[in-house]
Amino acid sequence: MKGSSVMLVLLGCLFVLGVAVHSADALYSPKDGVILATDATFNALVLQSNRPSIVEFFAPWCGHCKNLAPEYKKAAAATKGMVNIVAIDCDDASNRPLCGRYDVKGFPTLKLFTPGQKAPTDYQGPRTAKPIVDAVLAKLDAKNIKKLTAKSAEGFLADKELPKVLLFTSKPKSSHLYMALSMEFKGKLAFAEILDKETSLAEKYGVESFPTLLVVKNDEEQTVTKYEGELGYRQLDSFLATFAPKSAKASKGAKSEKAEAKAEPTPVPLEQKLYALESDADYTKYCVEQRRICAIGFVPSKEQDEEEHDKAVKALEALAAEREAGDAFLVMWVDGAKATGFRRTLDLAFDLPTFAVASPKKKGYAPFRGAFTPKAMGEFLDSIKHGVKRTHPLPDFPASLFDAQA
């Protein structure tokens, strides 16, 4: 009886420890909209981003960090992708050099990063959602937005280097939404605003209500496309991505990329369907040896939750069915419980299902942050396809998808 009591105490301690470890892992998940960065991905996600960022340097065991987490998630939900809401786990040994470089001495530490400026500023405001949102949105600017009149519009439209985005509006001040889009597509699209008092321009383009957003292509006909959807950041981001050049004309690597593309062999034709990754041999066949990029859904184990497993696979089947033949992406699924190490390397959270783009050949990846639906994942793939979102470099790309067997 005495031995049984000791065993119960030990089991109880292990249970508490297990809960604590799980809570640490689950402080943030992809569903929260908070970007979990690492020392390896920080440069691409924050320093090279066209969007302002606020970065929380935290430790999962820290009580103040746990108190901040719900407010930080609210901030991510409120900004809806217009800015980067980022978190760095400084308790992770691989991230400690990064935390040291930014002189992090306590948790949580919040810093604001502005595009083009390597030195951040400390956020000293209240640790609640609204002040955090206000602080990072204040880093948005309208430098890339031209204010057009009937007189100045002619010269602006005559320049055919880039497609033009025209917002007809009744508000003299640029919105956070429009500023965020202009910064995101910097060098790829030219943005302008036209006030409602410019009636001649409104009549020219058939604008009858405000706001109205148009895209004027940089072709000979200057084809005009009117946006008819919801005025939300993610919706507009996906719409504008279809007009943006794959890479800016001023890009230093444009010529070398073109030469590299010509030198690459033609990819092996594969049917556009959902592929199952059941072994590392499948991973090698479809991901390592192909020029196409793997769009991998990490789904719950069928043995653990058959309903959620089937639901996730069905969503991926619908996504695969929507992709065009010869598309750059091959959609596939894997049992996420068997690929925990791979998920961790790609900055994917503990929760399943989750989704990512991986290119072992080019040693790059991009974690998806959003709803696990065919529409949201499809928009994510399109944004990468059109060069709006970039894959993050990963020099030591994992050679194996599956965890080593114990």
Side-chain angles (χ1 to χ4, degrees):
M1 189 70 182
K2 188 175 181 179
S4 300
S5 299
V6 172
M7 181 61 71
L8 286 172
V9 170
L10 286 172
L11 288 172
C13 292
L14 288 172
F15 175 76
V16 170
L17 179 60
V19 170
V21 171
H22 178 75
S23 298
D25 289 343
L27 195 58
Y28 297 111
S29 79
K31 296 177 183 178
D32 301 323
V34 176
I35 301 170
L36 290 169
T38 65
D39 193 356
T41 64
F42 187 80
N43 191 53
L45 290 173
V46 177
L47 299 184
Q48 293 180 2
S49 177
N50 286 337
R51 289 177 288 195
S53 305
I54 185 164
V55 180
E56 177 200 1
F57 296 86
F58 76 96
W61 44 260
C62 160
H64 291 301
C65 301
K66 292 177 183 179
N67 292 335
L68 173 62
E71 296 297 319
Y72 209 55
K73 293 175 187 178
K74 288 178 186 177
T79 53
K80 299 177 182 177
M82 290 189 289
V83 293
N84 299 321
I85 308 295
V86 183
I88 300 284
D89 181 0
C90 293
D91 201 43
D92 186 324
S94 64
N95 293 332
R96 287 172 191 165
L98 174 66
C99 300
R101 287 199 297 274
Y102 286 103
D103 197 30
V104 175
K105 297 177 179 177
F107 305 118
T109 291
L110 294 169
K111 293 180 181 285
L112 291 157
F113 289 78
T114 304
Q117 298 179 10
K118 289 188 177 181
T121 57
D122 290 331
Y123 172 78
Q124 303 286 11
R127 304 299 175 89
T128 53
K130 189 179 185 307
I132 290 173
V133 168
D134 291 344
V136 69
L137 289 183
K139 296 295 181 180
L140 293 169
D141 64 58
K143 293 178 182 177
N144 303 316
I145 302 172
K146 299 287 187 182
K147 302 288 186 178
L148 296 185
T149 63
K151 186 177 181 179
S152 63
E154 185 177 347
F156 178 78
L157 293 167
D159 183 356
K160 295 183 179 180
E161 183 180 359
L162 296 173
K164 310 294 188 293
V165 183
L166 305 180
L167 177 64
F168 288 81
T169 177
S170 58
K171 297 179 179 180
K173 186 177 179 181
S174 300
S175 67
H176 288 133
L177 171 60
Y178 202 55
M179 286 191 285
L181 291 167
S182 73
M183 293 177 73
E184 177 67 22
F185 290 95
K186 180 182 178 181
K188 295 188 176 184
L189 298 171
F191 285 76
E193 287 181 331
I194 302 169
L195 288 175
D196 53 358
K197 66 181 181 181
E198 301 294 338
T199 54
S200 62
L201 288 174
E203 289 173 5
K204 177 181 177 179
Y205 289 102
V207 174
E208 297 178 347
S209 61
F210 303 89
T212 292
L213 186 134
L214 307 175
V215 175
V216 182
K217 292 184 180 179
N218 55 337
D219 53 17
E220 288 300 323
E221 296 78 16
Q222 290 198 315
T223 309
V224 178
T225 304
K226 181 180 179 181
Y227 177 69
E228 302 282 3
E230 180 183 341
L231 291 174
Y233 180 80
R234 298 192 189 281
Q235 294 87 343
L236 284 164
D237 182 82
S238 297
F239 171 73
L240 294 177
T242 63
F243 299 95
K246 187 173 183 181
S247 60
K249 292 186 178 181
S251 173
K252 294 181 181 178
K255 291 183 179 178
S256 61
E257 287 175 4
K258 188 178 289 186
E260 183 183 345
K262 288 181 179 179
E264 288 181 351
T266 304
V268 178
L270 285 174
E271 183 183 353
Q272 189 58 272
K273 65 175 185 178
L274 179 64
Y275 292 83
L277 298 177
E278 298 178 341
S279 67
D280 275 326
D282 292 334
Y283 172 64
T284 300
K285 178 180 178 181
Y286 296 124
C287 293
V288 179
E289 296 177 353
Q290 286 291 316
R291 262 182 58 194
R292 290 179 182 167
I293 305 170
C294 288
I296 308 175
F298 298 83
V299 306
S301 297
K302 196 176 185 71
E303 296 78 11
Q304 295 177 352
D305 195 328
E306 184 173 356
E307 183 179 350
E308 287 301 313
H309 169 90
D310 292 345
K311 183 180 176 182
V313 170
K314 188 175 180 180
L316 292 167
E317 285 176 342
L319 173 63
E322 291 173 359
R323 307 308 296 178
E324 296 178 357
D327 187 59
F329 302 97
L330 282 179
V331 184
M332 48 199 65
W333 70 270
V334 65
D335 184 338
K338 297 178 181 178
T340 56
F342 192 90
R343 284 191 288 136
R344 192 178 300 113
T345 302
L346 268 61
D347 299 329
L348 296 173
F350 182 82
D351 295 340
L352 297 173
T354 190
F355 185 68
V357 158
S359 177
K361 185 165 185 169
K362 295 188 176 181
K363 299 185 183 299
Y365 75 101
F368 171 65
R369 319 287 186 191
F372 200 88
T373 64
K375 184 176 185 296
M377 291 186 288
E379 290 175 350
F380 170 69
L381 296 183
D382 287 339
S383 68
I384 293 176
K385 181 178 179 180
H386 294 291
V388 176
K389 289 186 175 17
R390 302 174 184 175
T391 55
H392 313 309
L394 188 63
D396 298 323
F397 206 95
S400 176
L401 172 66
F402 290 85
D403 299 330
Q405 298 296 316

